[in-house]
Amino acid sequence: MWRAVFLWVMAWLLATGTAWAETTSGEKASGAQVPKLAFGQSVDNLTDDDLPYVYTEWENFTEEDGLPNDHIFAVRCAGEKVWVGTENGLACYDKKTRKFTVWREKDGLPWRAVTGIDVDPQTGDVWLALFGGGVARLSGGRFDHFHQLNSGLVNNVVYAIAVEHDNVWCATTAGASRYNTTTKEWTIFTEKNAPMEEIWNYNVFYSPEVNKVFLAVWGSGCLEFDVPTEKWKVYLDPDREMEIDLFRDDGIIHVITTAANYVGGALWVSTYFGQCRYDGRYWRGFYAHETGLPSDFTNALRARSGQECWMCTDKGLGVVADYATDTYVSYYRNGDDSSGRAEVFRQGRKIKEVPLETSIAHNFIIAMDFDGDDVWVGTAKGLSHGIGRGYYPGVRRQPEWLNKLNSTSEK
């Protein structure tokens, strides 16, 4: 029943645009609530001059620039192209020409709402998750459409998609489907053959680093599928509490998960109640009130390494910028003004606020991806591009971006 209510609310929000209403910045961290540093973290010999990289150069794209719609659901970077899934069509941004190519239903796109994208590194085929329309493959300029009536896809409401070798994984509202592009065989994973207490699969991610598929399942936590052995591993909230994290850092924060990434030896998991990281031995939870991240309500995440992870929240763009030093960056837009700010926190204390002449397009964020040192962010009012000129991981004392910012402000 509650899932039906949620679906109804989400449909209503999409229809009315209420979810895209401008929001204010997230609550600020409180020093009194800051937990002890977790295993592997240290702030010894650090000063407030030791800062992470802050993206100070942003450009934004909307329908006026060629996007089919400003409500961005998915972003995928592949070489010179940036693929963008929107509420009303698919777009591909060519970084050389700075032009968008657009596909709508009248152009052959099987369904208007594109909620997930992945690109096959072997064939270059683009796979699309369609919200209510199944799955599509764009290959050689042609769309192939897979849905419940012509394939083994378990449900047409597909939230996310991921390519794993010759397989394409689909996260749907009624389980996960796996399509083998060589044998043309479909496999369905539900509560009948996988450890799913609930079958609402919200996101899927393939990690070539460990050759495993990770599913974020609404109500069933995070599922790990080992490709060679086809064995499952389950990550649940040990508290088994729905609204609170009774014992912190004992597992994932909540069983209602929205995304899971495994990069650099760490598993990152987002929920609507906070985010967490697992290094194979220790868990660490991240809450807005103790880190400075914009919100606990996280739509998705993307990990750059075992030390850095970006959170797409309902109140701004949050970054665990350097896990080792408990350092965070949160990006906000100032209302309808194109300007904004970046706030840098360490151990829950704000150590730097950086004004941004141009910031992210909107504070409601649902997708992002890395493009080398750059980042692309899908928001409620357009696509944002953060230019990582001089990007560095970790922290540096008196970094170049700060010197440049100071010299500009002095002129």
Side-chain angles (χ1 to χ4, degrees):
M1 178 63 182
W2 58 271
R3 287 191 303 178
V5 171
F6 178 83
L7 278 172
W8 182 87
V9 170
M10 287 301 293
W12 180 80
L13 290 173
L14 287 171
T16 61
T18 305
W20 310 120
E22 188 66 45
T23 56
T24 57
S25 64
E27 57 182 324
K28 300 301 182 290
S30 167
Q33 297 171 299
V34 174
K36 295 179 180 178
L37 289 171
F39 180 82
Q41 293 183 306
S42 173
V43 294
D44 293 345
N45 303 317
L46 285 182
T47 73
D48 289 354
D49 292 330
D50 295 291
L51 295 168
Y53 183 82
V54 174
Y55 284 78
T56 58
E57 297 181 65
W58 291 89
E59 58 179 350
N60 297 313
F61 303 90
T62 65
E63 290 185 46
E64 294 181 356
D65 303 296
L67 278 172
N69 191 274
D70 288 345
H71 296 173
I72 311 299
F73 292 153
V75 180
R76 191 74 173 94
C77 301
E80 293 298 323
K81 298 179 179 177
V82 179
W83 295 91
V84 186
T86 80
E87 190 178 8
N88 189 27
L90 171 71
C92 179
Y93 180 73
D94 188 314
K95 293 189 292 184
K96 289 183 177 178
T97 64
R98 294 179 62 82
K99 300 288 186 183
F100 284 99
T101 302
V102 170
W103 295 266
R104 295 185 176 88
E105 287 179 285
K106 64 182 178 62
D107 304 308
L109 181 67
W111 198 260
R112 67 197 301 264
V114 181
T115 46
I117 303 173
D118 202 4
V119 179
D120 190 324
Q122 301 181 74
T123 65
D125 290 351
V126 181
W127 287 89
L128 308 174
L130 307 174
F131 191 78
V135 169
R137 173 176 57 193
L138 176 59
S139 178
R142 187 190 72 180
F143 286 102
D144 298 314
H145 191 195
F146 305 87
H147 51 80
Q148 286 179 262
L149 299 180
N150 73 352
S151 72
L153 184 66
V154 67
N155 193 276
N156 282 343
V157 178
V158 186
Y159 289 95
I161 199 161
V163 176
E164 169 263 306
H165 300 108
D166 292 334
N167 296 312
V168 178
W169 288 74
C170 314
T172 89
T173 193
S177 287
R178 183 181 65 183
Y179 174 61
N180 187 291
T181 57
T182 301
T183 65
K184 315 301 182 188
E185 293 177 333
W186 286 84
T187 306
I188 294 174
F189 299 100
T190 64
E191 80 283 4
K192 296 179 180 178
N193 60 350
M196 297 180 189
E197 295 182 10
E198 299 286 342
I199 56 174
W200 191 350
N201 284 239
Y202 201 74
N203 217 318
V204 59
F205 175 81
Y206 171 63
S207 172
E209 179 180 326
V210 287
N211 200 13
K212 294 179 179 179
V213 174
F214 295 86
L215 292 170
V217 184
W218 183 281
S220 282
C222 174
L223 304 187
E224 174 186 301
F225 180 82
D226 184 73
V227 173
T229 64
E230 299 211 340
K231 300 292 185 184
W232 292 95
K233 184 176 181 180
V234 187
Y235 300 95
L236 294 171
D237 180 5
D239 297 337
R240 295 192 176 275
E241 294 286 340
M242 290 300 292
E243 303 299 336
I244 61 171
D245 191 25
L246 193 59
F247 298 104
R248 66 162 302 134
D249 299 339
D250 58 350
I252 61 171
I253 285 175
H254 204 281
V255 292
I256 296 179
T257 54
T258 57
N261 275 196
Y262 187 98
V263 180
L267 173 64
W268 301 82
V269 181
S270 60
T271 80
Y272 285 154
F273 301 85
Q275 307 84 26
C276 49
R277 175 188 184 274
Y278 181 55
D279 64 7
R281 185 173 183 182
Y282 297 100
W283 287 91
R284 168 68 198 273
F286 307 98
Y287 299 97
H289 69 271
E290 62 185 26
T291 60
L293 291 170
S295 171
D296 290 335
F297 191 97
T298 308
N299 295 307
L301 61 73
R302 199 74 172 172
R304 181 174 247 158
S305 69
Q307 297 292 318
E308 180 181 338
C309 187
W310 291 58
M311 317 293 182
C312 306
T313 85
D314 63 333
K315 295 180 179 177
L317 181 63
V319 186
V320 179
D322 185 39
Y323 172 77
T325 59
D326 208 28
T327 305
Y328 309 83
V329 181
S330 292
Y331 295 89
Y332 300 104
R333 182 185 177 95
N334 295 332
D336 292 330
D337 191 337
S338 63
S339 66
R341 67 192 185 283
E343 298 179 353
V344 183
F345 287 81
R346 178 171 298 126
Q347 284 198 283
R349 183 173 63 87
K350 186 159 68 174
I351 60 175
K352 191 73 179 178
E353 181 164 323
V354 182
L356 302 175
E357 185 174 346
T358 300
S359 186
I360 52 179
H362 196 270
N363 287 331
F364 191 98
I365 298 161
I366 203 165
M368 68 88 56
D369 199 12
F370 301 108
D371 180 17
D373 291 341
D374 292 2
V375 295
W376 292 83
V377 181
T379 84
K381 287 189 177 178
L383 177 70
S384 298
H385 176 207
I387 302 169
R389 209 185 312 275
Y391 166 83
Y392 57 86
V395 297
R396 287 184 183 176
R397 188 159 299 180
Q398 288 295 327
E400 183 61 29
W401 65 262
L402 183 59
N403 294 332
K404 183 179 178 181
L405 198 69
N406 290 337
S407 62
T408 302
S409 62
E410 291 172 356
K411 291 180 180 178

